[in-house]
Amino acid sequence: MRGLRQVTAVELKLIMRDPMSAFFALAFPALMLAVKMRSGRPLPGGLPAIDATVPMLSVFVIGLAGLVVLPATLAQYRERRVLKRLRATPASSTMLFGSQWIAHMLLAVLGTALLIVIGLAFFGLAAPANPGGVVLAWVLGALSLSSIGLLLGALVPSGRGATVIGLSLFFPMVFLSGAMIPRETMSGSMRAIGDLTPMAPAVQAIRDGWAGDATSPLTLGVMVAISVIAGGVAVKAFRW
Amino acid sequence: MTVIEIDGLRKSYKTHEAVRGVSLKVEKGEIFGIAGPNGAGKTTVVECATGLRRPDGGTLRVLGLDPRSDRRALLQRVGVQLQEAALPDAIKVEEALRMYASFYDKPADWRELMDEWGLADRRRAGFASLSGGWKQRLFIALALVGDPEVVFLDELTTGLDPSARRTTWGLIRAMRERGVTVVLVTHFMDEAEALCDRIAIIDEGRVAAEGTPSRLIIEGRSDSLENAYFALTGKEMA
Ligand SMILES: Nc1ncnc2c1ncn2[C@@H]1O[C@H](COP(=O)(O)OP(=O)(O)O)[C@@H](O)[C@H]1O
Ligand SMILES: [Mg+2]
């Protein structure tokens, strides 16, 4: 337990010391929120823009932490032999990867909290209608996207390579899945493509929970399935 | 008391036979040198002895434990400085020591280690900002943070300037004073001669010669270990 706490705390500090990850996970989504709300007309259907935008951008933050920063960290640690040095200690691999995962998810928690605080303070964000549903959707979204990130981190040999691949998965997904552009304003064909990305169920479920709509068990099930499959393959394929 | 017992160790990478039957014994409290040219197989021996690689053949016992099947129990009692290893660029000296200390059941006091190895003034320096000599000191401190009985040091002084090298030699002798058994891997024969109680010279995956530095020098009819090495391995000086 002491090890888990120590590694998590150190790793979170390291992430925050990296100007790129801190900027893109914290400052950039907050800026995007402010920019979007300058012209924030209600969505077709009447939902205030802020009540859709905060849940949407929280998926942007999860995706950045889980799909870009996490695999880049792991691959860089392998490339630079940081993992090898850790391997020469009695620390368990479960503890080490658990701490990495928790630290990166804490980054996403911070980014999400910042969006919520800004939304409440400046833009009249409504409290979530179903807080339990939002938390469940957020956690499943984080698990599913970061297990894909873990798989990338397991397979890609260099930190730079993992960053490039992570970003080239991340950007199309955030544009198409409704994490940056509300699904209501996208064309039918864009939405259809976006629905095929693993980010779409997270956007859907978090927005449903916030608005108090029922989330289909299928949406939650897809996220569980992605987590189990990608996470399982990652653990099997991982090289130190 | 024998602390490390390696018998007939073999290890190949794909088709290349890196270690071809190495046997050696290390006694408690000594500085044991594994010397030899680059590519001789020294690092492979260390990585097998610390459970980082699976040997193809032979038996290994370190502190009576099997490095593969008792890896975690062994690593509670063994410190390692790897030839190829690093820390994250932004980690600070004290963070690295505190974190590594948390991996052990009975760690040394990391603050004391930090003082002892002269790192206290640089406690808040990031790893990437340290010079080679300070990085090596941090690696030694990390190898000692679990309060180990045996320490493996692989090419500790490569890349250091002569004065930093001499300082490091003093630090390694200080480890022996504390009763720690040291396995020192080096391709510098002068370093092996100056520091080690006994040495195994490894060449092309085999033990070419073994003994105290003075004995190896006599065997090689030479005036220094370096010259004895050329005589004993039949190698020409470049
Ligand atoms: N991971 C590896 N894959 C393939 N060959 C390797 C690997 N590690 C070492 N070797 C080869 O095995 C031989 C012994 O290497 P090593 O044990 O590192 O020697 P030393 O530490 O004495 O320089 C060298 O020829 C080296 O190129
Ligand atoms: Mg080596």
Side-chain angles (χ1 to χ4, degrees), chain A residues 144-219:
Chain A
S144 60
L145 293 174
S146 62
S147 63
I148 298 173
L150 210 57
L151 183 57
L152 270 185
L155 297 177
V156 182
S158 79
R160 185 171 289 268
T163 306
V164 169
I165 298 174
L167 285 173
S168 60
L169 289 176
F170 172 76
F171 273 111
M173 278 197 214
V174 284
F175 282 115
L176 292 168
S177 68
M180 286 180 77
I181 309 161
R183 295 169 53 80
E184 292 89 329
T185 64
M186 291 195 303
S187 71
S189 56
M190 259 178 84
R191 211 158 41 203
I193 300 171
D195 282 343
L196 297 175
T197 69
M199 211 175 258
V203 175
Q204 186 69 59
I206 296 177
R207 284 197 55 187
D208 283 344
W210 211 285
D213 300 334
T215 304
S216 97
L218 183 66
T219 307

Side-chain angles (χ1 to χ4, degrees), chain B residues 128-142:
Chain B
S129 75
L130 298 173
S131 70
W134 289 107
K135 280 183 181 153
Q136 293 298 39
R137 279 184 182 228
L138 178 55
F139 283 138
I140 300 179
L142 289 177

Side-chain angles (χ1 to χ4, degrees), chain A residues 2 17 84-85 87 90, chain B residues 47 71-72 80 90 95 104:
Chain A
R2 211 157 35 95
R17 273 177 211 153
K84 189 162 186 179
R85 181 61 189 86
R87 183 94 167 133
Chain B
E47 292 186 348
R71 200 175 69 86
R72 287 183 61 195
V80 188
E95 289 169 348
Y104 297 88

Side-chain angles (χ1 to χ4, degrees), chain B residues 42-43 83 154-155:
Chain B
K42 306 181 298 294
T43 295
Q83 181 177 9
D154 194 352
E155 303 284 2

Side-chain angles (χ1 to χ4, degrees), chain A residues 47-63:
Chain A
L47 185 69
I50 186 70
D51 296 337
T53 310
V54 167
M56 283 159 50
L57 288 176
S58 75
V59 179
F60 179 99
V61 173
I62 294 171

Side-chain angles (χ1 to χ4, degrees), chain B:
Chain B
M1 199 180 90
T2 305
V3 169
I4 300 172
E5 218 170 338
I6 299 178
D7 194 27
L9 176 66
R10 285 184 296 105
K11 174 76 190 174
S12 301
Y13 299 105
K14 302 210 176 75
T15 57
H16 179 72
E17 258 189 287
V19 176
R20 320 170 180 205
V22 163
S23 302
L24 37 95
K25 275 188 184 169
V26 178
E27 302 297 325
K28 186 174 162 58
E30 67 179 344
I31 301 183
F32 186 88
I34 297 181
N38 287 327
K42 306 181 298 294
T43 295
T44 306
V45 172
V46 168
E47 292 186 348
C48 289
T50 49
L52 292 167
R53 287 194 193 279
R54 184 190 305 279
D56 297 334
T59 55
L60 293 111
R61 288 271 154 200
V62 180
L63 295 166
L65 299 170
D66 180 303
R68 282 306 284 196
S69 54
D70 310 319
R71 200 175 69 86
R72 287 183 61 195
L74 178 63
L75 290 172
Q76 285 286 355
R77 299 167 61 192
V78 167
V80 188
Q81 176 260 323
L82 295 166
Q83 181 177 9
E84 275 197 323
L87 296 171
D89 280 342
I91 200 168
K92 293 178 181 168
V93 168
E94 62 179 352
E95 289 169 348
L97 283 164
R98 189 191 298 122
M99 182 174 93
Y100 271 73
S102 76
F103 299 155
Y104 297 88
D105 295 337
K106 294 193 200 86
D109 182 337
W110 63 267
R111 288 183 187 83
E112 256 172 38
L113 270 177
M114 196 166 62
D115 290 339
E116 197 176 331
W117 295 87
L119 289 157
D121 292 342
R122 288 172 175 74
R123 59 194 303 153
R124 294 196 214 292
F127 176 73
S129 75
L130 298 173
S131 70
W134 289 107
K135 280 183 181 153
Q136 293 298 39
R137 279 184 182 228
L138 178 55
F139 283 138
I140 300 179
L142 289 177
L144 293 175
V145 81
D147 199 14
E149 295 158 57
V150 181
V151 174
F152 290 87
L153 304 172
D154 194 352
E155 303 284 2
L156 192 60
T157 63
T158 303
L160 296 188
D161 62 42
S163 89
R165 250 180 104 207
R166 286 304 164 106
T167 313
T168 310
W169 290 5
L171 299 174
I172 294 168
R173 290 196 186 99
M175 272 184 220
R176 178 179 50 192
E177 313 290 277
R178 290 160 40 143
V180 179
T181 306
V182 179
V183 177
L184 179 77
V185 175
T186 183
H187 69 271
F188 294 119
M189 294 298 157
D190 59 335
E191 183 164 299
E193 183 178 344
L195 283 175
C196 299
D197 300 309
R198 288 192 310 126
I199 300 169
I201 293 179
I202 297 196
D203 189 37
E204 293 175 9
R206 292 195 181 87
V207 178
E210 192 188 336
T212 61
S214 49
R215 163 132 200 95
L216 291 174
I217 291 168
I218 293 166
E219 261 178 50
R221 297 174 205 286
S222 303
D223 53 353
S224 71
L225 188 65
E226 184 145 326
N227 290 332
Y229 158 74
F230 289 115
L232 292 168
T233 58
K235 285 214 156 52
E236 292 298 320
M237 271 182 249

